[in-house]
């Protein structure tokens, strides 16, 4: 049975929110313990965000879901415009955060505060973005999309296969997800609690 696109979107939001919150918890715990965070897992987490939500999830929302909603529910056009603009800014935002992480790793503690502040802004912005989609967009989609729309969207989003939503990672990503899962502390990962 094919996955329902709106359920896939919600599942991906939930997985990403858990990862973003875990990232912030890791940073806070490392600071409390007066130690550096695990840079390897932070890089892997940011790479995941770039590869899956930024390039796959957002692209399908902007290219497939939002145009249908503009046709069927033009009253939410301003919300979709704002979300599309955030999608367009997403790739630059993740690059800036990756750069801030690299600066912290290479330059040391003088760059810690800048990275942590950038991470906090990024996470807050992303969580607000997903909340807007969940409250302002998905209920409208549930109401206005017809059977043909749903079938096309279901097929497109079912192909996402995000490993953090329970799918087996492809061979290319297996090592990445093993690193993340084995090094992240619970509840998202299997790694030790610091």
């Amino acid at each position: 049975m094919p996955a329902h696109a709106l359920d896939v979107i919600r599942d991906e939001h939930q997985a990403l929110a858990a990862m973003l919150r875990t990232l912030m918890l890791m940073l806070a715990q490392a600071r409390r313990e007066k130690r550096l965070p695990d840079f390897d897992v932070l890089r892997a987490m940011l790479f995941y965000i770039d590869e899956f939500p930024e390039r796959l999830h957002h692209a399908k929302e902007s290219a497939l879901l939002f145009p249908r909603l503009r046709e069927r529910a033009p009253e939410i056009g301003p919300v979709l415009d704002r979300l599309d603009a955030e999608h367009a800014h997403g790739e630059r935002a993740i690059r800036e955060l990756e750069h801030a992480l690299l600066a912290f790793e290479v330059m040391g503690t003088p760059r810690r505060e800048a990275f942590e502040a950038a991470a906090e802004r990024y996470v807050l912005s992303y969580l607000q973005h997903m909340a807007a989609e969940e409250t302002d967009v998905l209920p409208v989609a549930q109401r206005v999309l017809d059977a043909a729309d749903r079938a096309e969207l279901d097929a497109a989003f079912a192909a996402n296969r995000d490993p953090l939503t329970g799918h087996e990672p492809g061979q290319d990503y297996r090592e990445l997800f093993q690193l993340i899962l084995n090094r992240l502390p619970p509840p998202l990962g299997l790694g030790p609690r610091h």
Side-chain angles (χ1 to χ4, degrees), residues 128-150:
Q128 289 172 341
H129 174 88
M130 290 187 294
E133 289 180 344
E134 300 255 346
T135 59
D136 299 335
V137 175
L138 298 184
V140 174
Q142 188 75 42
R143 190 179 76 245
V144 302
L145 295 176
D146 63 25
D149 294 332
R150 289 175 193 267

Side-chain angles (χ1 to χ4, degrees), residues 50-70:
D50 187 24
E51 288 283 302
F52 282 88
E54 288 297 337
R55 295 182 191 208
L56 190 62
H57 178 94
H58 285 173
K60 287 183 181 178
E61 286 175 337
S62 287
L64 301 172
L65 177 61
F66 292 0
R68 292 224 173 41
L69 292 176
R70 287 179 198 288

Side-chain angles (χ1 to χ4, degrees), residues 5-22 48-49 52-54 56-62 65-66 83 86-87 123 125-139 157 160 162 164-165 188:
L6 301 183
D7 291 334
V8 171
I9 291 169
R10 286 183 189 99
D11 289 347
E12 290 176 354
H13 284 176
Q14 186 176 26
L16 179 58
M19 180 171 284
L20 292 169
R21 288 183 177 107
T22 300
Y48 157 80
I49 293 167
F52 282 88
E54 288 297 337
L56 190 62
H57 178 94
H58 285 173
K60 287 183 181 178
E61 286 175 337
S62 287
L65 177 61
F66 292 0
L83 294 172
E86 290 171 2
H87 286 174
V123 167
S125 174
Y126 219 130
L127 293 173
Q128 289 172 341
H129 174 88
M130 290 187 294
E133 289 180 344
E134 300 255 346
T135 59
D136 299 335
V137 175
L138 298 184
F157 278 89
N160 283 12
D162 183 339
L164 289 185
T165 61
L188 189 59

